Amino acid sequence: MRIKNVNFVEMHVEKIVLALAVLFSAGVVWAYVWGVPYTTPVGADAHAAPDQIEQKVLAEQRQLSQLIGPGSPSPLPDMRVPAYTAMFQRRLQQPPFAAERLDPISQPGLAYNQFRLPDRPIDDQFEVPTPNAPLWPKAIAGFGVLRDNNHLTEHFTQLARRAQNPEPQQYGQAAAQMFDTLAPAKNEPRDFRYVTVAALYNIEAWRQSLEANTAIPDDWWRGNTAIVDVVLERQTFNNTTGQWGDPVTLPPTPGAGAFHSEHTTWTKQQAKQAVDTAIKNQEQIQRPEFVPMTSAAQWSPPDIQPDGLSFQIQQQADMLIKEIEHLKDRIRRAPSGEQSIFDLTDPANAGVGAMSVKQLKQQLETKAKQLASLKEQTQQLSEQAPAPADLNDSYKWWRLWAHDYQVLPSQTYRYRVRVSLINPLFQRSQLAAQQRQEYFHTLTLQSGYSEWSQPVSIEPTHRFFLVGGSGAEMQARVEVWRVINGKPRKAEFRVKAGDPIGGVVEIEAGKMRVEADMRIDALVVDLTDTPSTQNLGQRTTQMLYLDLNTDQLEHRVAELDRESSIYKWLESLSSSDAAVAEANGLAGRGVR
């Protein structure tokens, strides 16, 4: 019987299914028997089989070697990879813990307190980076007026309590006593001098150096990148030799030092307390509070922006240039040889100790050396790298400062700064024997020192200026300046040949009247009029005097003293209200 109404697919469906099955089977055999099912990209080849990977890598290596050539530097960074495999194999051979004793039989479970981690070091050595140094130190000198000892004791006691110091009261008393030696409480007002040294620290650079050290686990230092101490080193300038003295490391700033403790060995509790205290008190450690002062004086945080010469250095340079020009003029006008700059044929000058041309030239040489030193400092500053634009990024840049309260009048100092940071290997039991001895009980790592700051000069106890007078009348007007109750104050004295300069006076300083010693260790030797170097055809008074500290003859010129930048600076700092200075003894009456 003939089949009707059946199409081609229905007639050959068995053959079609059989054909598809044969094709599928052939594809499986081709892909998984004759072919390679697993490939990975290697270089430009995206179809490298597992057994081809090593050969292709070696081929790439040979190709790179040919491109570099013999003796050529490799363009690839030198990457140090820790020996992870060797470390892992050594640790596999160590037991995970050691049992003190076994539990009695028949008791279920193991008591956790019967097992401990192995208390022995491993052989791995950690490469510990050296912290980067602070940048752009800047020293600012100033003067202030201390509060009473009770207030200072309470202030430093509270700081010691915040630092969890075991003896806060003793710490506060010791700090107050230190200031009492600088400005005794019996002296009112308690004027003192100080230098604040500021710098910037790139904490991000320290983080990056730790991140690059792949051997130190991240959790050993993340969250612990804290500064424990800001250390100042100071040099004093020797005016006689023209050289800087030996560097001296200063003790920690009172208050900030309360947070820094060291032990030969640490207990776990001491170590945790030291780290936690340092992290919680970063503001006081990095930027310690200034010692409490009365309202008569103010302290402001220094501007740490890198810049050129400070105002004080500019003052010194300006004064030196004027003095050098005046000395040159006097030498030109002086008689030849070793004669006096004063006319010894004048009966009024008979027997007067005279300053010779030789002495003038010695003074000129000294002033020229001082000016050359300032120019050298200017050159060094101009060669410094420019400041980056992100200095206000507090995550990257940390502002630091510390205070030097033990400075002396008339001295010139310069400073450099280093910091102590928490050691990432502190109290880490996974240290090799050698590193355990070196780092396990070491709380901090020391950074390198910054560059030296600009020199900063401390105001002398007294300054005096020749402001007027007459050589014909053999009389001169001298102003003596001294910082009293936080501000420069002056008294005027009239002197003649043979008189000491200055005297003891009463000065109104704010709301108090104080007896001020305005005596200068100097004697007037002679007075004369000399042609002005600034106003043609006019004359100005000059004074020859004996410096009792050096036993040297010195001189002053009225027009130079009145126009000096230091004199104008003192005038600007002094208060606007007039203070009467009443002199005792030979000084007569002076007006501020």
Side-chain angles (χ1 to χ4, degrees), residues 504-515:
V504 179
V505 300
E506 285 188 4
I507 288 183
E508 186 174 327
K511 298 180 180 180
M512 64 176 70
R513 291 181 65 82
V514 299
E515 187 178 85

Side-chain angles (χ1 to χ4, degrees), residues 197-390:
V197 183
L200 284 168
Y201 189 71
N202 188 345
I203 190 63
E204 180 63 19
W206 173 236
R207 296 190 191 104
Q208 290 175 356
S209 65
L210 291 173
E211 286 178 348
N213 192 324
T214 56
I216 299 179
D218 287 0
D219 59 347
W220 285 16
W221 58 268
R222 289 196 185 276
N224 290 342
T225 50
I227 290 176
V228 179
D229 200 6
V230 179
V231 181
L232 291 183
E233 192 169 81
R234 183 180 75 188
Q235 279 186 314
T236 304
F237 187 75
N238 188 319
N239 291 315
T240 303
T241 63
Q243 302 294 324
W244 289 100
D246 295 332
V248 176
T249 301
L250 301 181
T253 296
F259 299 93
H260 188 186
S261 58
E262 284 290 356
H263 299 277
T264 305
T265 58
W266 296 76
T267 65
K268 289 184 178 180
Q269 182 179 359
Q270 288 173 335
K272 184 178 185 305
Q273 177 179 315
V275 172
D276 291 347
T277 301
I279 293 174
K280 291 177 182 177
N281 293 278
Q282 282 297 281
E283 179 72 21
Q284 177 65 17
I285 294 173
Q286 297 176 23
R287 297 174 291 278
E289 297 177 24
F290 200 75
V291 60
M293 295 193 297
T294 68
S295 58
Q298 299 289 333
W299 176 86
S300 299
D303 177 16
I304 317 181
Q305 286 282 351
D307 59 6
L309 288 178
S310 67
F311 174 67
Q312 195 172 40
I313 299 297
Q314 292 172 0
Q315 283 182 322
Q316 294 178 22
D318 178 55
M319 191 68 177
L320 284 171
I321 291 172
K322 289 184 177 180
E323 289 178 350
I324 287 172
E325 292 302 318
H326 181 72
L327 285 170
K328 289 180 178 178
D329 182 70
R330 293 182 68 196
I331 292 172
R332 285 194 301 267
R333 293 189 286 105
S336 60
E338 300 297 316
Q339 300 177 28
S340 167
I341 61 172
F342 292 93
D343 185 4
L344 295 183
T345 62
D346 188 339
N349 292 333
V352 172
M355 179 178 285
S356 67
V357 174
K358 180 180 179 181
Q359 290 172 311
L360 282 176
K361 289 181 177 179
Q362 290 174 346
Q363 281 196 7
L364 180 62
E365 183 180 358
T366 301
K367 301 294 183 184
K369 287 181 179 179
Q370 294 175 357
L371 184 61
S373 176
L374 289 178
K375 289 181 178 180
E376 182 180 353
Q377 296 167 26
T378 308
Q379 180 65 25
Q380 292 174 354
L381 287 169
S382 64
E383 294 173 355
Q384 287 183 355
D390 60 351

Side-chain angles (χ1 to χ4, degrees), residues 47 52 79 82 148 160 264 267 279 410:
H47 302 288
Q52 300 172 337
M79 298 183 63
D148 60 87
T264 305
T267 65
I279 293 174
S410 303

Side-chain angles (χ1 to χ4, degrees), residues 3-120:
I3 302 175
K4 298 181 179 179
N5 299 326
V6 177
N7 57 31
F8 178 81
V9 174
E10 291 174 339
M11 289 179 63
H12 304 284
V13 62
E14 297 89 347
K15 297 176 182 178
I16 294 174
V17 171
L18 182 61
L20 290 175
V22 170
L23 290 175
F24 178 77
S25 300
V28 170
V29 171
W30 176 263
Y32 290 94
V33 178
W34 290 307
V36 179
Y38 305 108
T39 60
T40 184
V42 177
D45 193 345
H47 302 288
D51 59 341
Q52 300 172 337
I53 292 177
E54 185 174 359
Q55 294 299 322
K56 290 186 177 293
V57 169
L58 291 175
E60 291 280 347
Q61 179 185 357
R62 286 192 294 270
Q63 185 177 0
L64 284 174
S65 300
Q66 293 173 358
L67 291 175
I68 295 173
S72 301
S74 172
L76 303 177
D78 185 14
M79 298 183 63
R80 176 180 175 274
V81 180
Y84 291 115
T85 303
M87 292 167 56
F88 182 72
Q89 289 175 347
R90 285 199 304 270
R91 293 181 182 182
L92 278 178
Q93 298 172 3
Q94 297 177 355
F97 51 77
E100 298 287 351
R101 60 184 176 84
L102 294 177
D103 271 354
I105 298 176
S106 77
Q107 291 188 3
L110 297 174
Y112 73 93
N113 58 357
Q114 295 177 5
F115 293 85
R116 59 179 176 84
L117 292 175
D119 189 18
R120 60 175 178 272

